[in-house]
């Protein structure tokens, strides 16, 4: 199996702050991480490779420092890493991102056909869950999103069977390679590479491609220019005007506290008391 | 999603929205009615409620787009769509549209859009909606704003889609200039459920598509429905009680389930409890869990981090119990108790139990 | 695995990075092992970077190192509960072309330094913990064991730069465990404020920074100091006290930090800020007495692991970088002469330290830890007395100055007695000498 895993380096959103005055993001000092959802996909890809042989190539589009994420992925056991970096890519939305990534994947496929592309379910900065489907659509890959488990892979028949989460249950799907898969979180967490893996990763050369090297002929389709969506405004969520009304707790008896709370709740939600009573009577 | 350098983005934001000739006749607001195995996902009705406002603002029609096999379920869905505000429903009936698969759905949806040309297309940000929207938007080469929390029409009549970014720390408003349709997905429970108007009249436009099983590569081998007995109905619960790290020990989560049981409520938790394995993942509330919109939300020992906040803000009333008066949850809760959840929760449970026992006697 | 390197460096703090950088620059094969997710991810520091020590390693570091502000003003405050008394030194001469001290954010600085180490040619692996040393049949250290699968790796010399706890060395019996009275526990918070607010609050220009060091009633009678540094868009505040004192006094470090932040002299400086990052870390403050054996057959200890911190002047990273560099130079020298890296050859490391400010300064202040530890009133009585004296002298209330002076003198005598006062002066002077 030749597998490409798309990973994205993202700021750890738990640590992002908004400038109190200018309302812009203060990225300074915010550590970057591999998009956590991508790691579930990477693990699934590595497991399939271990089973069937072949290679796992990690691919990212981002600034030069995204190399750190690639190296980390190599340390988990990926075989090869490609960094797509070019100023033309800046400001890409999902459409432009999937264009650049799919072109690069097509370029990789010239060396050896690609059987599977894995993407994360979604990113934690963009959060759109659209890049994966976009890549599948552009490359004509069969699309398997929200996969909870790979049940089987028949390399000879070029067929894959998976379980896919849908709204009301789990679909068991079988389709033909080549496919694009996104794994649901919680499927299997990323392995810890061995020390030799890590040393190999630290030494490995990373393929760096600019737009031209990736085979992108029309840079107008990349970055800001190639993005139909435009961010018109960025702002911090408005704090609610009033804070919570506090119910006195300190130094009071349990009974009093509870009585106050019930009274406050029933005052805030006039219909609640009646509904609860009805429910209690029915029970 | 756009991670644009600010200056550049600002530059483009000023760009004139001179719509290319080929998009001039794209009109009307559409909502994709998500029906899978005969069940319509409630997010579709929520979106019709929101779509109604947009259509009225633009002075255009609101249409539902429904794909499914011919039959009573589909007919009922059409009627319901109209009752929730659709002026008309574009209906594609085909036996192969009973279960969701990307390829036939995407083909049918793309055909509908190309034929009837909506200016706005809204979908639920469900597993189905997100899977489909990505393909459709890519095929049509148009813009898609995912996971919106607010939709509006700006002065120039273009869709202003607001969504959280960077994990909810910031919001951004995104426009699709120069391309049609303007697509957006919205998470379930973010928009309010509209009132249905049962006798309402609407038109149905049937559209035929040419699908053949032999051309569809992906096969459905099985469908394992979530057992209705233990299916978590968090998103649609009327009352939700949730606990966070402040509970300190997994055993103490009982205090949450006890209160929930007395109230006939669903229970949930903050993310760390899922990560620690105290509570199942499907109970997580927040940005990467469920968005809830109950009448009453009781949060005990939850600090109120932004990622949690975005999932609960739609609640009519939030009661927070936290020992730290400075916890951010008090910034958006309506009622607060500064104290030890471990002692307050049992007290509340007992008080409700007694209160309701009296009701039971009286009833 | 049979990988073999010239040197293995354990830890990617300032000392480990200095050592690995110098070794790699000299063309040796170096493996550096860091347990954190990246260099700096686990490191906490105020933090002041002393330029000189780094300049000797990377002369043009100012070009791309993530520096926050250079220090133009130093304040030393003695706090009582209401106020402070103290001195400032501010000079425009600190606005020189190559400033001498900078505030930095360790998480960023260490990451930058680590990238330099990689550029220099060292192999750096993260998220890997060294669990023990490997010795050959002669007892010479010849490699390390890590917590990864297939995780043994070999080298001619292992440089332990694993920080204050020095677990690798103590587990291997090369040094005793750190003693509670030899380490301070420091807690620190970052308070974010817009750049211009910081500048106007501290009366400084765009790149300029201020350091406040404070002692007195905030440490509730324990041996300790508090600090405040201005970064570009944040203020670092912290306080540290000896671990043994914390144990004795039964107070929590966060309690002390909260007190410090609430102090009337500090609170207005932090008003309106957004707090992010609360971190705690140990600082070796045992001085010369706590310094272990520094080298042996196939091993050396550098930086905090060697307890190289000058507590009196709050210097640590410079001692760390300098010791790392000297250790590397010792190895390079031996390698060029084809000498085996035995205790005998590596003794040159200690000799170099003795010639440098590292051991000279530690020697100079060798008595200080004991003096402070045995004289807690430096942190309680004196701040109160000085503050009282200032109150008395500054308040204009019809009392004549001679009477006021007498009151002040009386207060001092009542508290410490004349012999006590003389003793304190003598002790401090001797410890400082
Ligand atoms: C990409 C990303 C996505 C995320 N998605 C989600 C998400 O979907 N949902 C989510 O919840 N989080 C999410 N998080 C995590 C989120 O940032 C917070 O870390 C998390 O919500 C905190 O959980 P908590 O409030 O239970 O714990 P803490 O923040 O540790 O808060 C515990 C609270 O309990 C209080 N407390 C302690 N003892 C008591 C007591 N005895 N009685 C009463 N109160 C007490 C404390 O004062 C404190 O406020 C996400 C984070 C990231 C980075
Ligand atoms: C709050 C505070 C404020 C300070 N302020 C200043 C200041 O203003 N100026 C100043 O010069 N100094 C200051 N210091 C002291 C300074 O931080 C230290 O002296 C300096 O960091 C020592 O560097 P080091 O490389 O020896 O150790 P560290 O910086 O502690 O680095 C040790 C590294 O080794 C890694 N490690 C540990 N064990 C293992 C293992 N088994 N395997 C692999 N890796 C391991 C750790 O993760 C860490 O990255 C301060 C310290 C503190 C705590
Ligand atoms: N810049 C990028 N480089 C590589 N992969 C990406 C990039 N952006 C998105 N992806 C992939 O697409 C998935 C979905 O991203 P998103 O649509 O932004 O939520 C991610 O989890 C990644 O696997």
């Amino acid at each position: 199996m030749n597998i490409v895993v798309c990973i994205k380096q993202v700021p750890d959103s738990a640590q992002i702050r908004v400038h109190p005055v200018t309302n812009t993001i203060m990225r300074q000092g915010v550590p970057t991480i591999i998009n956590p959802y991508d790691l579930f996909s990477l693990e699934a890809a590595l497991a399939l490779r271990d089973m069937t042989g072949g290679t796992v190539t990690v691919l990212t589009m981002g600034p030069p420092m995204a190399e750190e994420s690639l190296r980390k992925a190599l340390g988990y056991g990926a075989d090869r890493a490609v960094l797509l970096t070019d100023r033309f890519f800046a400001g890409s939305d999902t459409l432009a991102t999937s264009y650049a990534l799919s072109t690069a994947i097509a370029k990789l496929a010239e060396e050896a056909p690609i059987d599977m592309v894995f993407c994360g379910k979604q990113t934690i900065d963009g959060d759109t869950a659209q890049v994966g489907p976009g890549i599948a659509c552009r490359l004509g890959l069969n699309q398997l999103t929200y996969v909870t488990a790979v049940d089987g892979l028949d390399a000879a028949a070029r067929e894959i069977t998976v379980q896919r989460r849908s709204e009301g249950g789990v679909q068991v799907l079988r389709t033909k390679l080549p496919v694009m898969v996104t794994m649901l979180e919680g499927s299997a967490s990323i392995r810890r590479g061995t020390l030799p893996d890590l040393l190999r990763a630290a030494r490995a050369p990373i393929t760096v491609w600019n737009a031209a090297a990736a085979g992108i002929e029309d840079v107008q389709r990349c970055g800001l220019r190639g993005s139909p969506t435009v961010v018109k405004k960025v702002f911090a969520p408005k704090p609610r005007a009033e804070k919570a009304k506090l119910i006195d707790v300190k130094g009071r008896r349990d009974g009093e506290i509870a009585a106050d709370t019930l009274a406050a709740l029933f005052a805030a939600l006039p219909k609640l008391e009646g509904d609860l009573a009805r429910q209690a009577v029915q029970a | 999603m756009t991670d644009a350098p600010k200056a550049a983005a600002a530059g483009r934001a000023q760009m004139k929205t001179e719509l290319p000739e080929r998009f001039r006749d794209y009109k009307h607001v559409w909502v994709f009615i998500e029906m899978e195995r005969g069940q319509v996902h409630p997010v579709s009705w929520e979106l019709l409620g929101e779509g109604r406002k947009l259509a009225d603002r633009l002075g255009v029609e609101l249409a539902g787009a429904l794909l499914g096999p011919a039959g009573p379920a589909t007919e009922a869905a059409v009627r319901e769509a109209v009752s929730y505000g659709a002026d008309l429903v574009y209906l594609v009936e085909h036996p192969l549209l009973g279960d969701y698969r990307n390829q036939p759905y995407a083909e049918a949806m793309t055909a509908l859009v190309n034929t009837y040309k909506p200016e706005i297309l809204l979908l639920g940000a469900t597993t189905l909606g997100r899977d489909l929207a990505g393909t459709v938007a890519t095929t049509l080469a148009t813009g898609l704003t995912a996971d919106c929390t607010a939709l509006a029409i700006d002065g120039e009549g273009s869709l202003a889609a607001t969504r959280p970014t960077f994990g909810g720390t910031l919001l951004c408003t995104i426009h699709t200039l120069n391309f049609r349709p303007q697509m957006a997905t919205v998470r379930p429970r973010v928009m309010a459920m509209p009132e249905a108007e049962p006798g309402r009249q609407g038109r149905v436009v049937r559209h035929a598509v040419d699908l053949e099983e032999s051309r569809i590569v992906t096969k459905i081998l099985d469908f394992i429905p979530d057992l209705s007995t233990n299916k978590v109905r968090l998103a649609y619960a009327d009352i939700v009680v949730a606990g966070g790290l402040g509970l300190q020990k997994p055993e103490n989560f009982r205090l949450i389930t006890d209160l929930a049981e007395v109230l006939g409520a669903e229970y949930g938790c903050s993310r760390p409890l899922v990560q620690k394995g105290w509570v199942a993942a499907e109970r997580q509330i927040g940005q990467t869990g469920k968005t809830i919109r109950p009448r009453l939300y009781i949060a005990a020992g939850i600090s109120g981090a932004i990622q949690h906040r975005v999932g609960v803000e739609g609640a009519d009333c939030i009661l927070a119990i936290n020992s730290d008066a400075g916890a951010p949850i008090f910034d958006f809760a309506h009622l607060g108790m500064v104290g030890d959840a471990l002692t307050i929760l049992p007290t509340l449970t007992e008080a409700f139990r007694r209160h309701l026992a009296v009701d039971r006697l009286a009833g | 695995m049979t990988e073999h390197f010239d040197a293995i460096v354990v830890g990617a703090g300032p000392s480990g990075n200095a050592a690995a950088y110098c070794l790699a620059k000299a063309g040796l094969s170096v493996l550096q092992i860091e347990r954190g997710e990246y260099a700096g991810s686990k490191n906490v520091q105020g933090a002041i970077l002393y330029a000189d020590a780094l300049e000797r390693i990377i002369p043009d570091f100012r070009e791309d190192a993530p520096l926050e502000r250079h220090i133009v003003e130093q304040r030393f405050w003695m706090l009582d509960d209401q106020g402070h008394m103290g001195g400032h030194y501010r000079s425009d001469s600190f606005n020189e072309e190559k400033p001498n001290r900078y505030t930095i954010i360790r998480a960023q600085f260490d990451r930058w330094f680590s990238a330099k180490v990689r550029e220099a040619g060292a192999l750096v692996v993260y998220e890997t913990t060294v669990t023990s040393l490997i010795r050959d049949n002669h007892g010479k250290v010849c490699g390390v064991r890590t917590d990864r699968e297939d995780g043994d790796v070999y080298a001619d010399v292992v440089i332990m730069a694993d920080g204050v706890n020095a677990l690798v060395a103590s587990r291997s019996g090369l040094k005793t465990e750190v003693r509670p009275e030899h380490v301070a526990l420091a807690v620190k918070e970052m308070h974010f404020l817009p750049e211009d607010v910081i500048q106007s609050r501290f009366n400084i220009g765009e790149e300029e920074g201020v350091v406040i060091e404070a002692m007195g009633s905030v440490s509730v009678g324990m041996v300790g100091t508090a600090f405040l540094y201005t970064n570009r868009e944040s203020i670092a505040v912290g306080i540290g006290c000896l671990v043994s004192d914390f144990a004795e006094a039964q107070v929590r470090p966060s309690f002390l930090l909260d007190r410090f932040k609430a102090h009337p002299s500090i609170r207005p400086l932090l008003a309106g800020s957004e707090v992010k990052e609360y971190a705690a870390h140990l600082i070796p403050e045992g001085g010369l007495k706590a310094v272990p054996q520094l080298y042996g057959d196939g091993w050396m200890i550098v930086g905090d692991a060697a307890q190289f911190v000058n507590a009196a002047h709050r210097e640590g990273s410079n001692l760390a970088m300098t010791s790392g560099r000297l250790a590397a130079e010792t190895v390079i020298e031996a390698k060029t002469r084809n000498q085996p890296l035995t205790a005998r050859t590596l003794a040159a490391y200690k000799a170099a330290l003795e010639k440098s400010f590292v051991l000279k300064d530690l020697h100079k202040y060798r008595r200080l830890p004991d003096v402070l530890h045995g004289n807690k009133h430096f942190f309680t009585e004196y701040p109160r007395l000085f503050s009282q004296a200032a109150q008395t002298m500054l308040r204009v209330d019809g009392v004549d100055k001679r009477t006021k002076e007498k009151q002040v003198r009386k207060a001092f005598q009542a508290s410490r007695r004349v012999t006590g006062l003389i003793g304190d002066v003598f002790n401090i002077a001797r410890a400082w000498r």
Side-chain angles (χ1 to χ4, degrees):
Chain A
M1 286 297 116
N2 284 322
I3 307 177
V4 174
V5 182
C6 296
I7 64 171
K8 186 177 182 191
Q9 189 176 45
V10 295
D12 186 347
S13 73
Q15 307 204 31
I16 289 221
R17 285 164 306 99
V18 180
H19 196 294
V21 178
T22 58
N23 249 348
T24 49
I25 299 170
M26 295 164 77
R27 281 164 178 275
Q28 185 206 35
V30 179
T32 51
I33 54 177
I34 298 182
N35 178 36
Y37 295 112
D38 298 350
L39 295 178
F40 297 110
S41 292
L42 179 56
E43 176 56 39
L46 293 172
L48 287 175
R49 178 208 57 190
D50 292 348
M51 230 167 59
T52 64
T55 60
V56 169
T57 304
V58 280
L59 168 66
T60 193
M61 175 179 100
M65 74 167 204
E67 182 192 321
E68 281 178 33
S69 293
L70 291 175
R71 228 174 257 292
K72 211 158 171 184
L74 290 171
Y76 292 127
D79 302 283
R80 180 184 175 188
V82 179
L83 170 64
L84 265 190
T85 189
D86 199 314
R87 64 190 170 82
F88 290 117
F89 297 144
S92 297
D93 73 356
T94 54
L95 199 72
T97 302
S98 66
Y99 171 68
L101 290 173
S102 55
T103 313
I105 294 169
K107 181 90 187 168
L108 283 169
E110 288 171 12
E111 295 167 26
I114 304 293
D115 304 299
M116 299 200 214
V117 174
F118 277 83
C119 285
K121 181 189 91 172
Q122 69 194 64
T123 53
I124 61 166
D125 58 346
D127 244 337
T128 75
Q130 296 306 337
V131 170
I135 291 172
C137 181
R138 289 174 186 280
L139 294 175
L141 310 173
N142 294 308
Q143 174 168 324
L144 299 169
T145 55
Y146 304 99
V147 171
T148 51
V150 177
D151 282 349
L153 178 67
D154 185 337
R158 298 188 57 72
E159 273 181 355
I160 183 171
T161 310
V162 303
Q163 300 191 22
R164 169 181 188 270
R165 169 115 298 263
S166 85
E167 290 299 315
V170 173
Q171 291 182 316
V172 182
L173 299 174
R174 172 175 301 156
T175 196
K176 292 261 179 210
L177 302 182
V179 289
M180 191 289 302
V181 181
T182 75
M183 298 298 295
L184 201 63
E185 65 274 21
S187 36
S189 29
I190 190 76
R191 64 190 59 192
R192 200 169 148 73
T194 63
L195 190 60
D197 274 335
L198 232 60
L199 293 178
R200 185 179 51 79
R203 288 183 176 123
I206 287 191
T207 308
V208 181
W209 282 348
N210 62 12
I216 293 170
E217 278 152 20
D218 185 4
V219 290
Q220 295 296 322
R221 292 176 68 186
C222 297
L224 224 38
R225 302 218 129 263
S227 300
T229 60
V230 170
V231 179
K232 278 224 173 164
K233 196 166 84 177
V234 179
F235 55 104
K238 243 201 228 83
R240 231 172 51 110
E242 75 253 52
K243 287 209 162 197
K245 209 172 86 200
L246 292 184
I247 298 164
D248 252 349
V249 171
K250 245 211 179 102
R252 301 182 63 217
R253 284 203 338 249
D254 287 356
E256 291 170 355
I257 299 170
D260 275 11
T261 313
L262 263 56
L265 283 176
F266 294 150
L269 298 165
K271 288 204 306 203
L272 182 69
E273 188 169 13
D275 290 352
L276 281 178
R278 219 162 300 131
Q279 196 179 303
V281 172
Q282 278 162 13
Chain B
M1 232 288 308
T2 327
D3 197 3
K6 249 170 285 126
R12 275 209 58 194
Q14 309 308 328
M15 257 169 52
K16 261 215 74 55
T17 44
E18 188 66 48
L19 202 58
E21 190 60 42
R22 65 195 157 112
F23 291 129
R24 292 276 163 81
D25 51 346
Y26 279 64
K27 254 205 169 47
H28 307 302
V29 178
W30 284 20
V31 169
F32 170 69
I33 310 294
E34 174 176 331
M35 187 169 75
E36 197 173 15
R37 301 175 73 81
Q39 288 275 343
V40 178
H41 197 293
V43 70
S44 309
W45 311 145
E46 294 160 18
L47 283 180
L48 280 175
E50 195 63 20
R52 187 70 259 170
K53 293 182 210 156
L54 301 178
D56 290 347
R57 174 82 215 278
L58 286 166
V60 299
E61 287 192 311
L62 174 66
L66 177 61
L67 318 179
T74 303
E75 272 155 39
V78 170
R79 273 196 308 278
E80 265 197 285
V82 172
S83 78
Y84 280 113
D87 298 312
L88 75 162
V89 174
Y90 292 101
L91 178 61
V92 180
E93 283 174 321
H94 197 286
L96 289 179
L97 295 171
D99 282 280
Y100 174 73
R101 277 179 291 177
N102 178 271
Q103 189 189 341
Y105 262 62
E107 273 179 31
M109 218 32 227
T110 314
L112 273 187
V113 169
N114 282 334
T115 315
Y116 302 101
K117 306 186 191 316
E119 61 189 305
I120 292 174
L121 171 57
L122 308 178
L123 301 91
T126 58
T127 54
L128 191 164
R130 286 170 145 205
D131 188 276
L132 177 64
T135 310
V136 171
T138 311
T139 311
L140 299 170
T142 188
L144 166 63
T145 309
D147 273 34
C148 302
T149 52
L151 300 172
I153 303 293
D154 75 355
E156 291 162 46
S158 122
L159 178 69
T162 298
R163 68 185 304 273
T165 179
F166 288 104
T169 332
L170 286 180
L171 295 171
C172 59
T173 302
I174 295 179
H175 290 240
T176 295
L177 305 172
N178 309 349
F179 293 90
R180 290 295 178 267
Q182 308 161 79
M183 289 178 62
T185 62
V186 179
R187 276 184 154 217
R189 303 304 276 159
V190 167
M191 303 299 178
M193 181 66 105
E195 289 285 337
E197 195 186 307
R200 212 169 159 276
Q201 292 298 309
R203 316 191 306 277
V204 178
V205 177
R206 283 170 209 275
H207 185 83
V209 290
D210 179 24
L211 299 172
E212 268 169 57
E213 183 60 47
S214 62
R215 277 201 304 117
I216 304 173
V217 183
T218 303
K219 305 295 176 200
I220 299 177
L221 304 188
D222 198 1
F223 185 87
I224 309 156
D226 295 325
L227 291 179
S228 49
T229 42
N230 56 19
K231 190 173 167 205
V232 183
R233 303 249 328 143
L234 253 188
Y236 292 92
D238 216 27
I239 304 178
V240 175
V241 186
L245 272 185
L247 294 175
Q248 287 152 18
K249 282 198 231 115
E251 303 89 86
N252 293 335
F253 200 76
R254 261 237 80 85
L255 304 178
I256 299 292
T257 50
D258 285 350
L259 179 56
E261 196 187 314
V262 169
L263 292 173
E266 275 290 352
Y267 65 91
C269 66
S270 65
R271 184 163 87 155
L273 303 207
V274 171
Q275 286 169 328
K276 285 175 180 273
W278 297 4
V279 183
E282 60 205 3
R283 301 246 172 221
Q284 181 186 322
I285 300 172
Q287 190 209 353
T288 47
K290 299 268 186 326
T291 303
I292 59 171
R293 212 186 164 88
R295 265 199 295 166
L296 173 60
Y297 177 51
I298 301 178
I302 293 181
S303 60
I306 186 75
Q307 293 90 358
H308 190 79
R309 177 178 178 165
V310 295
V312 304
E313 261 177 330
D316 292 342
C317 178
I318 300 175
L319 167 68
I321 307 170
N322 195 305
S323 50
D324 173 9
I329 193 149
F330 292 120
D331 295 345
F332 60 94
H334 304 84
L335 293 170
M337 304 172 83
V338 179
D340 184 357
L342 303 183
T343 61
I344 292 177
L345 282 169
T347 312
L348 286 183
T349 307
E350 200 36 48
F352 273 114
R353 201 193 303 280
R354 230 176 295 130
H355 188 90
L356 297 176
V358 173
D359 286 332
R360 202 169 294 137
L361 283 179
Chain C
M1 184 172 64
T2 47
E3 291 251 16
H4 187 277
F5 294 85
D6 290 332
I8 290 174
V9 178
V10 185
S15 64
N17 282 338
Y21 182 88
C22 296
L23 289 166
K25 268 275 168 202
L28 302 191
S29 68
V30 183
L31 173 64
Q32 189 183 29
I33 303 174
E34 163 63 42
R35 86 187 145 158
E37 196 186 339
Y38 50 87
S41 64
K42 299 233 163 138
N43 293 339
V44 173
Q45 187 184 310
I48 308 296
L49 172 75
Y50 303 97
D52 173 74
L54 180 57
E55 212 163 358
R56 286 169 198 260
I57 299 165
I58 305 181
D60 56 358
F61 76 91
R62 290 182 181 84
E63 277 171 24
D64 53 2
L67 306 170
E68 294 283 309
R69 295 170 180 274
H70 64 268
I71 310 296
V72 296
E73 179 175 330
Q74 175 102 19
R75 306 180 184 171
F76 180 80
W77 289 0
M78 270 215 244
L79 307 177
D80 69 352
D81 286 337
Q82 274 80 46
H84 71 269
M85 171 166 171
H88 289 190
Y89 180 66
R90 178 180 177 125
S91 170
D92 199 37
S93 70
F94 285 130
N95 283 319
E96 60 215 313
E97 196 192 325
K98 293 188 166 181
N100 181 256
R101 296 182 303 162
Y102 295 91
T103 52
I104 53 168
I105 293 173
R106 274 289 296 275
Q108 290 168 34
F109 176 80
D110 285 10
R111 225 171 166 170
W112 165 85
F113 204 167
S114 189
K116 290 279 167 194
V117 171
R118 293 195 306 262
E119 266 170 47
L123 219 52
V124 187
V125 300
Y126 306 96
E127 292 179 282
T128 306
T129 304
V130 170
T131 51
S132 59
L133 298 173
I134 305 173
R135 294 170 192 266
D136 65 15
N137 351 349
H138 309 290
K140 179 182 179 299
V141 170
C142 63
V144 299
R145 176 154 297 168
T146 66
D147 66 342
R148 294 229 175 218
E149 203 181 311
D150 221 347
D152 290 359
V153 56
Y154 300 91
D156 294 343
V157 64
V158 175
I159 298 180
M160 285 166 270
D162 52 344
V164 50
N165 283 321
L167 283 181
V168 175
S170 54
R171 267 201 216 113
S172 312
L174 300 177
K175 79 182 272 301
T176 52
E177 276 180 32
V178 285
R179 308 217 323 240
E181 65 273 25
H182 284 167
V183 280
L185 176 63
V187 290
K188 193 196 84 173
E189 273 179 9
M190 294 277 268
H191 286 245
F192 284 86
L193 277 172
E195 216 172 323
D196 44 334
V197 172
I198 292 179
Q199 274 145 214
S200 62
R201 243 176 230 184
F202 288 85
N203 184 27
I204 45 179
E206 236 171 59
E207 311 253 289
E208 299 173 349
V210 169
V211 170
I212 300 176
E213 295 198 20
M215 57 175 275
S217 62
V218 275
S219 62
V220 294
M222 305 193 280
V223 175
T225 51
F227 59 84
L228 181 155
Y229 306 143
T230 57
N231 295 322
R232 198 174 292 275
E233 288 193 312
S234 59
I235 295 174
V237 279
I239 184 163
C241 292
L242 289 181
V243 170
S244 52
D245 283 359
F246 275 122
E248 206 175 296
Q250 297 277 318
V251 294
R252 273 176 304 132
S254 57
F255 167 78
L256 287 192
L257 185 54
D258 287 343
R259 261 174 69 97
F260 182 53
K261 290 187 305 183
H263 190 277
S265 298
I266 297 295
R267 199 177 46 221
L269 296 173
L270 301 175
S273 63
E274 192 196 342
V275 191
K276 194 87 187 188
E277 255 180 56
Y278 171 88
H281 203 269
L282 297 175
I283 307 179
E285 297 203 341
L288 191 63
K289 235 198 203 149
V291 171
Q293 171 67 26
L294 294 168
Y295 61 91
D297 279 339
W299 60 272
M300 284 185 274
I301 305 186
V302 298
D304 274 12
Q307 315 294 304
F308 290 156
V309 162
N310 177 349
H313 290 269
R314 301 191 66 77
E315 293 175 21
S317 60
N318 52 333
L319 284 73
M321 289 189 278
T322 304
S323 59
R325 173 174 61 85
L326 295 176
E329 284 170 0
T330 307
V331 172
I332 296 162
E333 173 79 16
K335 280 267 171 199
T336 42
R337 295 179 183 210
N338 264 327
Q339 289 167 326
L341 298 174
T342 56
R344 247 177 78 182
T345 352
L346 297 182
Y349 165 53
K350 174 132 193 241
L353 285 168
E354 272 162 356
K355 266 191 256 154
S356 79
F357 76 96
V358 176
L359 282 181
K360 279 187 182 156
D361 282 354
L362 286 182
H363 190 260
K364 174 168 185 293
Y365 295 114
R366 67 193 178 282
R367 292 192 191 89
L368 197 60
D370 287 342
V371 168
L372 295 182
H373 199 60
N375 297 274
K376 299 274 170 60
H377 53 272
F378 284 132
F379 298 88
T380 51
E381 290 298 282
Y382 281 114
R384 191 176 57 77
L385 290 170
F386 279 117
S387 166
Q388 229 175 38
Q391 275 272 342
T392 311
M393 297 310 293
L394 292 177
R395 217 175 260 285
V396 178
D397 51 8
V399 179
D400 68 284
K401 297 293 186 268
R402 196 178 299 269
T403 309
K404 279 177 181 266
E405 275 172 18
K406 215 182 267 164
Q407 284 173 356
V408 169
R409 205 173 321 127
K410 269 226 182 90
F412 271 79
Q413 281 172 7
S415 163
R416 291 294 301 152
R417 300 244 165 74
V418 177
T419 46
L421 288 171
I422 295 173
D424 289 345
V425 170
F426 176 75
N427 273 333
I428 275 289
R430 211 164 76 104
W432 217 265
R433 227 168 22 105

